[in-house]
Amino acid sequence: MSQRITIDPITRIEGHLRIDCEVEGGKVSKAWSSGTMWRGIENILLGRDPREAWIFAQRICGVCTTVHSLASVRAVENALGLEIPLNAQLIRNVIVVAHALHDHIVHFYQLSALDWVDVVSALKADPAKAAQVAQSLSDWPRNSVQEMKAVQARLKDFVAKGQLGIFTNGYWGHPAMKLPPEVNLLAVAHYLQALEYQRKALKAVAVLGSKTPNIQNLAVGGVVNAVNMDAAATLNMNKLFEVRSQLEEVIRFVQQVYFPDVAAIGGMYAEWLGYGAGVRNYLAVPDLPTDAAATRFDMPGGILMGGDLAKVRPITSWKDDFFAKNVTEDISHAWYDGDWARHPYKETTDPKFTGIWKPESPAPAKYTWVKAPRLDGKPMQVGPLAQVLVAYVQGDMLTQKWANKCLEIAGGVAKAKLGPAVLQSTLGRIAARSIRAAVMSDLAIKHWELLANNVGKGDTAIYNEPRFPTGTIEGFGVHEAPRGVLSHWVVIENGKVKNYQAVVPSTWNAGPRDAQDQMGPYEASLVGNPVADPHKPLEALRTVHSFDPCLACAVHTHDAEGNEIARAKVL
Amino acid sequence: MTRIVVLGIGNVLNADDGLGPHAVRVLEAEWETGPGVEVIDGGTPGLDLVSVLHGAEAVVVVDAVRDRGAPGDVKRYPREDVIEGAPRLAMSPHEPGLRDALLTMEFEGSTPGDVTLWGAIPESVELGPGLTPACRAAIPALVDGVVAELRRLGAPPRRRDPPLKPDLWWERRAG
């Protein structure tokens, strides 16, 4: 006898993702992922000047603003075959790195750690022991007994007021929570510190991007940061050093706090390396180009199929023909008019809502606003795990260094020998994000130095003017964003946008079944997942949160119900 | 100096959901705010509001709200309604963004001491930039509301004469 549970909404930010599971014998037997808001941002861009598409695209999602603007300008540049100056490439890279570090820190501490860390249990911790555990993990100066005592006192005070505030909806005391009180306390201490350091990363973005949350320094053809070492209003050495000093603090936090926390906590939950693999086809695109023409990249891209780590198909160019030709989106299970799988250049986005899934009835044919992207007809998992795996198997040195270190720390805690294959799991996705953050923390300074050196040589070029031909051109822009492969696809006719599609990471991962009934990554990863208490499906949340869901861009507009808390309904 | 943040939140691509950004841009065009006042079109930053609001001693938020009443109705919500409001009442379409951010800041001990929300009820949050007539008509009242808050906070703005043209780029037509 199976039980159905509905979790709605499931994100801690910008909700609108709903998960339905059938649970049988304490395990998920079937799962469905649905986005409950309509998506159709693309229609707004039709007929517009391609040079301003990025300004609109950036508003698709208020959380990932930088990534959409970047993919958009890259798409138009790709259509034009327009190379951008080296300074522009490097300024974009430093923004990418700073934004990603911010995003990964927030994902772990603010958005997913509390699935694993029991805040209330931290009240019982011995602060001296907590400090001892923390100090065994790294030399971070803020792991003192005083720090742990202060955090515990703050938490006591908070709980004594009779309400848990931001922690109200957690599953405290759930049997799947396994950490000792001391580890919970150190995690809460780092939760607070994370708020400080993610802000520093955003400051670095703001200095280069002119503003956050919505950056203003991009242009089709480059950037608009005038470079002049002698003028106060332009990008000068003072500003570059300000960026560097913010980055250095963030880097220390990533390497001495975030990375070791994930590895050690992961080791204490090693059984979660056995759950949540789901779709084992992985896709990542190359990013962080080191030259103006974007022929060399510091983050490799590639494709792995069926979890076979021995056979990788590298993607080494932003013009990769296989990727360009074989991406489709399938709407057979989504609320759009028609029943097709089409290439993004040929897609339409015409909503056709056929009704919300009623709790008592079986799954309807169409159940989501999210389309189902496929590569050569196959569902693909995207995100830090995909990117770390394709980089690891291609011998990327930084990725191997940090991944091996993570596996070694976690294996030491779990008393097991762990290889990279175990990363194909719920816990592995969370670990891969910290590995990627550590790799990018090394690359942050490298790209800052490339920029500072280039500017120091007297190169001030930042922009190549785009010229639009008469007739029709097509192009796509890719970006390996914090949640994975992002691609914007544009058709331009006589200098105006004729068609536009954004195929975003959360669409790849949260998408529904396709016409062949192949599940999307969220859905597949939930099957086999334990759920001890269907009324408190913490374990299912762990797996979905491991993808870092942010459906604001996968689908957009507001649900009519309001969405304060993740509520689980058992039928 | 007190740092005061005037923050318009909402998605400018979704009709009346953009009334927060719209209102703060009109405010900037018509009023010159004093030093220490930062006017921000925040978009829909979710938890990133923690960073946007950090260090502010007072914050005046303008946003679309879900409440009883007619489209375009303008109302002032005090701090308690924003932070502690009844759990079933979703104040704004972006909840849990604003509330979550403020609650997170409360745990951090960094919540601005003075929080007010000026909200208007949207008629439509369908896809497509530009306010409905009902909400467009509400903009002057929202701007007046913010100006009144700034005076209350001891940072009265000065009216620009003549006013500037507000930068409502999302209302530019295609083609």
Side-chain angles (χ1 to χ4, degrees):
Chain A
M1 178 62 198
S2 73
Q3 257 185 317
R4 222 188 77 221
I5 53 174
T6 298
I7 314 170
D8 175 21
I10 205 156
T11 41
R12 290 212 170 89
I13 44 166
E14 294 276 320
H16 332 299
L17 169 66
R18 160 177 160 165
I19 296 288
D20 289 86
C21 296
E22 277 183 21
V23 178
E24 221 170 323
K27 276 188 188 306
V28 174
S29 55
K30 285 182 184 162
W32 295 264
S33 156
S34 27
T36 55
M37 299 192 315
W38 181 47
R39 165 182 190 216
I41 182 78
E42 291 85 356
N43 294 348
I44 289 175
L45 292 169
L46 304 186
R48 290 194 186 273
D49 186 330
R51 288 172 300 185
E52 65 172 26
W54 71 273
I55 303 171
F56 285 84
Q58 152 153 262
R59 298 277 173 154
I60 294 176
C61 167
V63 179
C64 311
T65 54
T66 56
V67 306
H68 286 294
S69 39
L70 189 59
S72 182
V73 294
R74 283 179 179 171
V76 180
E77 287 156 5
N78 176 286
L80 293 169
L82 178 66
E83 196 174 293
I84 65 171
L86 183 57
N87 282 332
Q89 208 70 279
L90 295 171
I91 288 171
R92 290 177 181 185
N93 288 351
V94 177
I95 290 176
V96 163
V97 170
H99 176 261
L101 294 179
H102 152 76
D103 201 282
H104 292 337
I105 291 170
V106 171
H107 173 265
F108 182 65
Y109 289 101
Q110 272 70 48
L111 300 174
S112 76
L114 302 184
D115 293 344
W116 309 86
V117 170
D118 189 328
V119 174
V120 175
S121 141
L123 291 169
K124 292 184 295 215
D126 172 354
K129 261 205 243 163
Q132 209 177 15
V133 175
Q135 286 160 14
S136 74
L137 293 173
S138 82
D139 299 333
W140 182 244
R142 298 177 64 181
N143 280 336
S144 65
V145 182
Q146 293 88 323
E147 180 93 16
M148 298 298 151
K149 271 191 183 153
V151 170
Q152 197 180 41
R154 178 186 293 275
L155 192 59
K156 269 190 186 137
D157 185 45
F158 207 63
V159 174
K161 280 190 204 150
Q163 59 163 356
L164 278 169
I166 190 66
F167 304 126
T168 305
N169 298 317
Y171 290 130
W172 318 128
H174 192 286
M177 292 285 195
K178 298 261 166 76
L179 300 179
E182 285 71 25
V183 177
N184 287 318
L185 178 58
L186 92 85
V188 175
H190 293 165
Y191 171 104
L192 280 166
Q193 293 173 11
L195 287 170
E196 267 174 67
Y197 290 87
Q198 57 89 22
R199 270 199 287 273
K200 294 177 193 293
L202 277 189
K203 259 190 209 145
V205 174
V207 173
L208 290 171
S210 305
K211 259 190 180 174
T212 57
N214 296 289
I215 58 169
Q216 308 203 328
N217 71 316
L218 292 187
V220 170
V223 294
V224 297
N225 306 74
V227 175
N228 182 342
M229 288 300 107
D230 305 317
T234 62
L235 187 59
N236 52 33
M237 270 302 159
N238 270 348
K239 286 204 179 123
L240 278 178
F241 276 108
E242 190 185 340
V243 170
R244 181 165 177 141
S245 74
Q246 299 291 351
L247 284 175
E248 279 176 347
E249 292 201 59
V250 178
I251 290 164
R252 268 196 295 277
F253 183 80
V254 167
Q255 299 191 356
Q256 297 186 16
V257 182
Y258 171 33
F259 179 85
D261 277 1
V262 172
I265 291 173
M268 297 178 198
Y269 279 110
E271 74 274 17
W272 278 87
L273 294 169
Y275 301 121
V279 170
R280 291 171 190 254
N281 306 327
Y282 302 97
L283 169 67
V285 289
D287 214 319
L288 300 186
T290 54
D291 58 340
T295 61
R296 295 189 303 274
F297 297 90
D298 269 344
M299 288 188 355
I303 296 165
L304 289 164
M305 299 303 291
D308 182 358
L309 301 187
K311 257 191 263 155
V312 63
R313 183 184 197 291
I315 297 179
T316 57
S317 157
W318 282 345
K319 296 169 189 149
D320 187 84
D321 199 48
F322 183 76
F323 180 81
K325 290 202 171 109
N326 289 293
V327 172
T328 54
E329 290 199 289
D330 177 305
I331 59 164
S332 55
H333 292 277
W335 291 310
Y336 297 95
D337 197 12
D339 183 8
W340 41 253
R342 285 188 194 166
H343 189 277
Y345 292 143
K346 311 271 189 233
E347 281 187 56
T348 54
T349 308
D350 301 320
K352 192 181 178 191
F353 185 54
T354 50
I356 201 90
W357 184 353
K358 294 270 184 336
E360 307 73 32
S361 54
K366 297 205 176 221
Y367 58 91
T368 178
W369 286 114
V370 183
K371 294 173 178 176
R374 296 292 181 263
L375 182 68
D376 196 22
K378 303 287 192 309
M380 306 298 290
Q381 184 179 151
V382 302
L385 171 59
Q387 197 247 313
V388 164
L389 287 177
V390 303
Y392 191 99
V393 301
Q394 289 179 78
D396 180 66
M397 306 255 293
L398 282 179
T399 304
Q400 293 200 342
K401 172 182 101 173
W402 287 105
N404 290 341
K405 197 167 169 186
C406 174
L407 293 165
E408 194 187 308
I409 298 171
V413 174
K415 300 191 173 42
K417 184 152 174 51
L418 304 175
V422 303
L423 293 173
Q424 305 185 74
S425 58
T426 292
L427 192 57
R429 269 186 292 275
I430 295 172
R433 196 168 288 108
S434 75
I435 293 165
R436 180 178 194 263
V439 169
M440 289 181 99
S441 74
D442 280 345
L443 292 172
I445 293 303
K446 175 181 172 185
H447 282 256
W448 183 93
E449 278 170 354
L450 287 172
L451 174 62
N453 290 342
N454 194 54
V455 166
K457 278 192 302 203
D459 182 356
T460 57
I462 52 165
Y463 175 71
N464 295 329
E465 199 186 340
R467 286 180 206 286
F468 293 88
T470 49
T472 304
I473 52 173
E474 297 172 336
F476 65 99
V478 291
H479 170 37
E480 185 66 28
R483 289 171 188 77
V485 176
L486 170 64
S487 56
H488 283 213
W489 306 72
V490 64
V491 181
I492 301 167
E493 189 180 75
N494 299 327
K496 300 279 181 215
V497 174
K498 174 102 186 304
N499 203 357
Y500 201 99
Q501 282 295 328
V503 183
V504 311
S506 294
T507 309
W508 283 102
N509 286 339
R513 289 157 171 75
D514 57 23
Q516 282 69 46
D517 227 30
Q518 301 179 94
M519 286 182 284
Y522 284 14
E523 298 178 332
S525 69
L526 282 163
V527 174
N529 201 106
V531 173
D533 176 358
H535 293 273
K536 295 179 179 167
L538 173 63
E539 304 94 325
L541 284 173
R542 284 178 176 172
T543 290
V544 178
H545 284 159
S546 71
F547 286 94
D548 194 2
C550 182
L551 268 258
C553 60
V555 286
H556 215 283
T557 197
H558 307 294
D559 78 342
E561 302 290 310
N563 41 46
E564 322 63 44
I565 50 169
R567 59 179 191 278
K569 198 156 69 185
V570 182
L571 295 170
Chain B
M1 192 191 308
T2 310
R3 180 177 173 239
I4 301 169
V5 171
V6 176
L7 175 70
I9 47 183
N11 194 328
V12 298
L13 304 181
N14 290 90
D16 292 339
D17 193 36
L19 65 85
H22 189 121
V24 300
R25 282 167 184 260
V26 171
L27 172 82
E28 275 184 308
E30 294 179 350
W31 296 84
E32 193 179 337
T33 51
V37 179
E38 203 180 332
V39 181
I40 302 172
D41 161 8
T44 53
L47 211 54
D48 283 355
L49 279 172
V50 172
S51 298
V52 175
L53 297 179
H54 184 74
E57 286 162 56
V59 55
V60 184
V61 181
V62 187
D63 195 1
V65 292
R66 207 176 281 133
D67 200 351
R68 259 177 248 131
D73 282 1
V74 172
K75 196 172 154 187
R76 176 183 193 270
Y77 300 83
R79 181 191 167 91
E80 312 81 78
D81 288 4
V82 181
I83 301 186
E84 291 146 29
R88 298 302 306 171
L89 174 73
M91 291 283 298
S92 136
H94 318 296
E95 292 296 350
L98 179 60
R99 179 176 298 145
D100 263 13
L102 290 169
L103 287 171
T104 302
M105 294 179 84
E106 198 159 270
F107 182 53
E108 195 189 22
S110 65
T111 341
D114 195 301
V115 178
T116 42
L117 167 66
W118 278 83
I121 297 175
E123 177 166 356
S124 163
V125 291
E126 293 294 305
L127 189 80
L131 302 181
T132 61
C135 281
R136 198 169 294 271
I139 295 294
L142 290 168
V143 172
D144 287 350
V146 176
V147 169
E149 299 299 336
L150 291 175
R151 290 193 179 120
R152 177 180 65 79
L153 293 164
R158 284 210 325 235
R159 194 182 279 280
R160 293 185 199 271
D161 188 21
L164 307 171
K165 197 171 147 27
D167 178 16
L168 307 170
W169 54 265
W170 56 89
E171 297 207 332
R172 285 201 300 266
R173 286 181 179 275

